[in-house]
Amino acid sequence: KINSPLEAYKYLPQTNCGECGQPTCMAFASTLIDRSGKTTDCPPLIKEKKYAKKLAELDRLLAPEIRQVTIGVGERAANIGGDDVLYRHKLTFFNKTKMFFDVADNMDEAAIVERVKKISDYKKFYVGRNLLLDGVAIRAASNDPAKFAAAVKKVIENTELPVILCSFNPAVLKAGLEVAKGKNPLLYAANKDNWKEVGELALEYNVPVVVSAFNDLDGLKTLAKTFAEAGIKDIVLDPGTYPTGKGLKDTFTNFLKIRRAGIMGDTEIAYPIMAMPLTAWMAGIADPVSASYWETVLSSIFTIRYGDIMLLHSMEPYATMPEVHLAETIYTDPRSPVAVDSKMYKVGNPTADSPVLFTTNFALTYYTVESDLASNGIDCWLLAVNTDGIGVEAAAAGGQLTADKVKDAFEKSGFDLKSDVTHNSVVIPGLAARLQGDIEDKLNVKVMVGPMDSGRLPGWMEKNWPP
Ligand code: SF4
């Protein structure tokens, strides 16, 4: 396995031709290691026959420990797995846990369409991006091939999201596969009873498949090995999700054992893992709020400990909100703080008389300030200074936020304090008060020191603006 740019560089053409968009092959090698680039981004490596062997070897050495599996097609295709580490502080976790919500083929058509639209339209704004749900799991509650095919048709007519076809009956799965041809659905599932037929379906339709053995890791491994030997590459593991008691403890232990073995090099079990928090609904909990609550608890546990894909049921906001937030947080790259573009933003409808403020490009800081201003109706200009995604206090102390950086950010934004506004003044964060003199000197403007906390900006503005 390759872990450093220098090792990857050995397999590249080393001509520094720049066709990949990087100035040198060594710079390109760095993108391969942090996975921002792919070997296919180097045209000579792909096109020239003399590099074919090196390319194959490089691809093999760069492959993640846990196989990456793709479900669906197009922009909303879901990649799962692909991890190289057990703990995110060692590198990062790739491919956020994907959340699929169920529909059943015994629901009436209108109810299926309504639920599918709800899943597809789900959106939760969070630090500059929309958190979305990832797919639809279609359960063959009827065990009737015709009924299941009709439900699959209804679902794929109403969403671009990837789907999972759920049944242990190969005839039912085949009916669903016929309808979902070309959509690359995930098959759920092959078990000790049906593995031969379901394996054949996975090969015939060339789709990813789940192998399932409840609380039986040896059985699970045997199934995965058999499928791999038959030429099925895209396998997902379902060790069973027991919702409560000792079963839950076993489930947790199974997830740990599978992922640890996969990362440590046991390729026979190095596949993404499926968790099923929706089993909370089958745990004899009569009250739907309690079932939703417990489903969210299970989802949280297996987002943190190695669920790559989940089947869920409750779409109550109090269930989905923590689920999508937690997945986003766990899968944020700890090496690079979440940042917004460094530029001048308009808050509301600012004019030449409106105040000019700056903050850092750390997304949490930026969106907190922006929301404090916007929700209080303060029209203004807000510059996000590039501090490498570090917050105001730490950046001012650590040298990432200086008068030169502020000057540079104003120049790059194209905003001219002399001509774009009438007051030639700028409001700086109270936590960067120490920069007041420097900024006055460098920018030749009046510097007003704002409050320590952007929540106090409305009161501060009332007292101090206009200058
Ligand atoms: Fe090197 Fe390939 Fe990039 Fe050219 S395209 S600089 S050969 S990595």
Side-chain angles (χ1 to χ4, degrees):
K1 178 124 185 92
I2 282 180
N3 290 312
S4 76
L6 195 58
E7 289 170 281
Y9 174 77
K10 289 181 201 156
Y11 295 85
L12 297 175
Q14 305 178 8
T15 57
N16 301 332
C17 71
E19 280 187 60
C20 56
Q22 297 293 333
T24 62
C25 293
M26 184 58 94
F28 180 72
S30 300
T31 70
L32 292 177
I33 297 303
D34 69 18
R35 294 208 214 163
S36 59
K38 304 186 289 295
T39 50
T40 48
D41 298 334
C42 168
L45 193 62
I46 297 300
K47 287 183 198 153
E48 292 178 36
K49 270 198 176 150
K50 61 180 174 182
Y51 298 127
K53 242 182 155 178
K54 281 192 167 180
L55 172 63
E57 186 63 359
L58 184 58
D59 276 338
R60 192 183 68 76
L61 292 167
L62 286 171
E65 297 291 357
I66 305 301
R67 183 171 176 83
Q68 177 172 294
V69 172
T70 301
I71 306 160
V73 290
E75 269 188 20
R76 296 301 306 271
N79 289 326
I80 59 172
D83 279 320
D84 269 323
V85 291
L86 281 172
Y87 304 105
R88 67 193 280 269
H89 62 263
K90 288 196 167 171
L91 177 64
T92 181
F93 290 159
F94 294 94
N95 297 328
K96 190 164 64 165
T97 306
K98 298 297 184 294
M99 306 208 168
F100 282 63
F101 286 74
D102 73 326
V103 299
D105 67 354
N106 57 359
M107 292 162 65
D108 68 44
E109 270 196 7
I112 291 180
V113 172
E114 189 190 343
R115 186 158 164 90
V116 167
K117 285 199 183 306
K118 197 171 174 188
I119 298 166
S120 306
D121 295 347
Y122 181 91
K123 218 183 253 184
K124 176 81 183 63
F125 187 74
Y126 176 65
V127 283
R129 67 193 79 184
N130 281 315
L131 306 182
L132 309 170
L133 305 182
D134 302 293
V136 182
I138 312 164
R139 290 192 292 113
S142 70
N143 199 29
D144 173 349
K147 210 158 187 193
F148 186 61
V152 174
K153 186 164 181 284
K154 244 323 125 221
V155 172
I156 61 179
E157 278 171 0
N158 284 282
T159 186
E160 293 297 312
L161 293 178
V163 297
I164 306 176
L165 307 180
C166 306
S167 174
F168 288 111
N169 181 343
V172 168
L173 288 176
K174 186 170 175 64
L177 280 166
E178 272 302 309
V179 178
K181 255 186 190 162
K183 298 282 183 187
N184 194 33
L186 174 64
L187 279 191
Y188 181 92
N191 62 16
K192 67 179 175 30
D193 302 318
N194 68 7
W195 61 269
K196 204 161 184 295
E197 295 94 326
V198 175
E200 280 165 11
L201 287 175
L203 282 171
E204 181 187 342
Y205 290 85
N206 191 22
V207 291
V209 60
V210 181
V211 293
S212 179
F214 285 10
N215 208 8
D216 173 11
L217 292 192
D218 289 340
L220 192 68
K221 192 170 170 179
T222 304
L223 278 175
K225 187 169 177 253
T226 308
F227 273 28
E229 284 169 358
I232 300 170
K233 293 199 171 89
D234 290 333
I235 297 168
V236 178
L237 307 171
D238 170 27
T241 304
Y242 292 84
T244 52
K246 178 172 179 312
L248 175 55
K249 198 173 162 209
D250 289 343
T251 303
F252 184 70
T253 309
N254 289 340
F255 274 55
L256 297 188
K257 280 184 181 165
I258 293 172
R259 184 50 43 93
R260 196 170 294 137
I263 295 288
M264 302 308 277
D266 184 348
T267 52
E268 290 175 356
I269 203 148
Y271 297 105
I273 312 175
M274 174 179 272
M276 293 212 192
L278 55 64
T279 52
W281 292 84
M282 298 155 205
I285 304 169
D287 166 27
V289 175
S290 301
S292 285
Y293 168 85
W294 196 241
E295 184 181 25
T296 308
V297 171
L298 293 174
S299 161
S300 308
I301 293 169
F302 296 111
T303 295
I304 293 168
R305 280 293 177 265
Y306 305 130
D308 297 289
I309 179 167
M310 288 195 183
L311 302 198
L312 296 144
H313 176 73
S314 175
M315 290 204 64
E316 296 296 342
Y318 52 76
T320 51
M321 196 180 76
E323 286 162 0
V324 295
H325 274 250
L326 184 64
E328 179 71 15
T329 305
I330 297 290
Y331 283 80
T332 300
D333 188 344
R335 297 165 302 173
S336 44
V338 195
V340 298
D341 289 344
S342 173
K343 63 177 188 178
M344 179 63 83
Y345 293 86
K346 284 181 181 182
V347 179
N349 297 300
T351 65
D353 295 328
S354 301
V356 179
L357 302 93
F358 74 76
T359 184
T360 75
N361 71 332
F362 177 41
L364 279 176
T365 304
Y366 173 81
Y367 284 106
T368 305
V369 176
E370 193 257 2
S371 133
D372 285 335
L373 292 163
S375 60
N376 285 288
I378 300 171
D379 294 333
C380 63
W381 305 93
L382 179 60
L383 179 72
V385 179
N386 182 4
T387 56
D388 300 325
I390 296 173
V392 175
E393 194 170 19
Q400 291 87 359
L401 182 61
T402 62
D404 280 326
K405 288 253 185 168
V406 175
K407 185 170 182 239
D408 189 46
F410 269 108
E411 284 171 1
K412 285 192 176 136
S413 75
F415 192 91
D416 189 342
L417 283 159
K418 306 273 180 306
S419 58
D420 287 330
V421 282
T422 53
H423 45 74
N424 194 32
S425 56
V426 59
V427 181
I428 73 171
L431 289 171
R434 70 176 79 172
L435 302 179
Q436 181 178 16
D438 270 1
I439 294 175
E440 272 171 355
D441 291 348
K442 290 257 154 65
L443 275 79
N444 195 18
V445 291
K446 179 177 178 195
V447 171
M448 303 169 77
V449 177
M452 305 291 265
D453 180 338
S454 63
R456 300 208 181 130
L457 272 168
W460 186 92
M461 284 286 173
E462 266 175 37
K463 266 198 221 146
N464 298 287
W465 194 265

